[in-house]
Amino acid sequence: MAGLEGIEQPRRHRSATAARWSPAIEDERALDALELYGNPAEAEASLPSLPESAATARRLAQLVVLRHWGLGPRLTEDAVLLVSELVGNAVQHAGARVFGLRMRRRRGWIRVEVRDPSRGLPCLIPVQGLDVSGRGLHLVDKLADRWGVDLLPRGKTTWFEMRVTDR
């Protein structure tokens, strides 16, 4: 941060982060998105390939992970962040009109998939401290337990999986 050296930046408290992802926040928008695009935990939700669709995908992911699956705020926050990264890549690089979002849960794991019609493979690229882009897959690599890409006859599915503690 040029010009801010030596100035202490405010730090977020952990409770503020958890509250940001509470089901009450933006619940109406999330429910509207669920009605419009469908539940990605039941079938693939097809969203327009527009930058604002990242917010819709985040809302859907939050609703599924936190409310439908009843998982914790920390896992929800991480999953929502990674959904945003995969959707951002699909919107920016796939050159398509739509992309698909699918979420699955099985004992001990959640899996999130973003499908697009491009067969171009995402890759981890080296980034420097001041680079403003290129960090998305590094976040996925760090926060997800597993991630990868499945090539399809027409396009690809980029996915990540995270461990969960079943109750």
Side-chain angles (χ1 to χ4, degrees):
M1 291 191 204
L4 297 179
E5 294 82 12
I7 298 174
E8 185 173 332
Q9 299 299 307
R11 301 196 192 285
R12 288 188 177 146
H13 296 288
R14 192 74 190 137
S15 62
T17 302
R20 185 177 61 206
W21 297 113
S22 72
I25 296 176
E26 293 194 357
D27 226 16
E28 188 174 319
R29 286 183 177 172
L31 292 172
D32 289 346
L34 188 67
E35 186 175 319
L36 185 60
Y37 298 107
N39 185 339
E42 295 173 359
E44 182 178 281
S46 184
L47 286 89
S49 189
L50 300 168
E52 53 269 23
S53 290
T56 302
R58 286 191 300 269
R59 287 183 189 107
L60 290 170
Q62 176 186 349
L63 189 66
V64 168
V65 176
L66 195 59
R67 178 173 284 181
H68 291 193
W69 291 342
L71 301 175
R74 178 62 183 169
L75 179 72
T76 301
E77 182 178 1
D78 289 349
V80 167
L81 174 63
L82 299 188
V83 164
S84 189
E85 294 301 334
L86 293 189
V87 167
N89 283 348
V91 168
Q92 184 176 4
H93 302 295
R97 291 189 329 231
V98 297
F99 66 89
L101 174 66
R102 179 86 166 116
M103 301 176 70
R104 303 168 192 233
R105 182 169 183 204
R106 66 181 197 277
R107 186 170 179 81
W109 293 91
I110 64 168
R111 179 180 173 106
V112 176
E113 302 173 345
V114 174
R115 185 185 55 80
D116 66 63
S118 170
R119 289 180 56 85
L121 296 175
C123 60
L124 289 166
I125 59 171
V127 290
Q128 302 299 317
L130 297 177
D131 290 347
V132 294
S133 66
R135 289 184 167 75
L137 282 181
H138 288 279
L139 286 171
V140 174
D141 192 53
K142 178 148 181 76
L143 296 176
D145 290 291
R146 299 189 287 233
W147 73 275
V149 180
D150 297 331
L151 286 176
L152 306 170
R154 293 188 178 162
K156 68 179 174 299
T157 298
T158 307
W159 55 269
F160 68 85
E161 294 180 337
M162 300 172 82
R163 289 184 208 274
V164 298
T165 305
D166 287 327
R167 295 177 191 177

